[in-house]
Each structure stands twice: as C-alpha cells, then as structure tokens.
Amino acid sequence: MGNIATCWLTNIAIIAITDGMMNPAETVIKICGGYGAVASMAGRHEVNVRRWTYAKEKGGTGGLIPSDVQQKLLAEARKLGIELRPEHFFSDAESSGANKVGS
C-alpha cells in the first residue's frame, strides 16, 4: 500500500509541475539555478528568497517576487547568459490579462 501511495503522490507532483502550476517565484528560481543562485543575483539572503514561494498566510509573498528585485534579476541573468524573461515574473492568468480591470 505504501508504494501505491508514494507512486500516486509522485504522479500528482509531476502533473502539478507539467501543468504549469508553479508560481512565478518558483519558475524564476528554477530557471536561475536555485535559491542560492537567486539570492546571490538579487543581493538578498536565501531565507528571503525562499519566502517568495510561500503563501501569504504563511508569511510569504504568495509566489510573487518583489518589484524592486525583478529588474536586478533580469540584468544579472543577462550577464550570466540565463534566459530569464519579464513574463516569467507573472502567472499565466496575470500575463493573459485575466486580472485587468474591465476584462
């Protein structure tokens, strides 16, 4: 029974990742090479970078990277040859205009 539960949970995790369910912070962190790399690029402590992935109810930013860090990450990524783009900082719903006033 334990193997079935583990397999089921693994499949859920894989489906969540492949269905684009990562939040923008997780996406940027993955593209840039992990928490430590992003912390170095942003000039922030790694603990702060990890908080970007936490829900707001748990003291995080709800998956959003602070606006004052976004430009710095883009510039550092460009210097390092990392293909980070502005759209990586927004969820699909945000970038498609679903959250715009009047939509």
Side-chain angles (χ1 to χ4, degrees), residues 9-54:
L9 289 174
T10 301
N11 287 339
I12 294 293
I14 290 169
I15 290 168
I17 291 170
T18 58
D19 281 349
M21 293 178 65
M22 286 195 301
N23 63 44
E26 291 168 333
T27 300
V28 169
I29 290 164
K30 181 178 178 184
I31 290 169
C32 292
Y35 297 106
V38 172
S40 177
M41 292 167 68
R44 300 283 177 102
H45 195 279
E46 191 172 327
V47 171
N48 293 334
V49 173
R50 287 183 184 274
R51 283 192 187 127
W52 300 343
T53 64
Y54 300 167

Side-chain angles (χ1 to χ4, degrees), residues 18-92:
T18 58
D19 281 349
M21 293 178 65
M22 286 195 301
N23 63 44
E26 291 168 333
T27 300
V28 169
I29 290 164
K30 181 178 178 184
I31 290 169
C32 292
Y35 297 106
V38 172
S40 177
M41 292 167 68
R44 300 283 177 102
H45 195 279
E46 191 172 327
V47 171
N48 293 334
V49 173
R50 287 183 184 274
R51 283 192 187 127
W52 300 343
T53 64
Y54 300 167
K56 288 182 180 182
E57 302 81 43
K58 295 187 178 193
T61 64
L64 299 176
I65 295 176
S67 59
D68 63 313
V69 178
Q70 293 175 10
Q71 190 64 38
K72 186 166 188 166
L73 287 176
L74 286 167
E76 290 296 316
R78 197 173 308 114
K79 287 181 196 174
L80 298 169
I82 298 170
E83 293 190 33
L84 183 64
R85 298 185 307 271
E87 58 266 24
H88 290 134
F89 292 90
F90 304 95
S91 68
D92 289 337

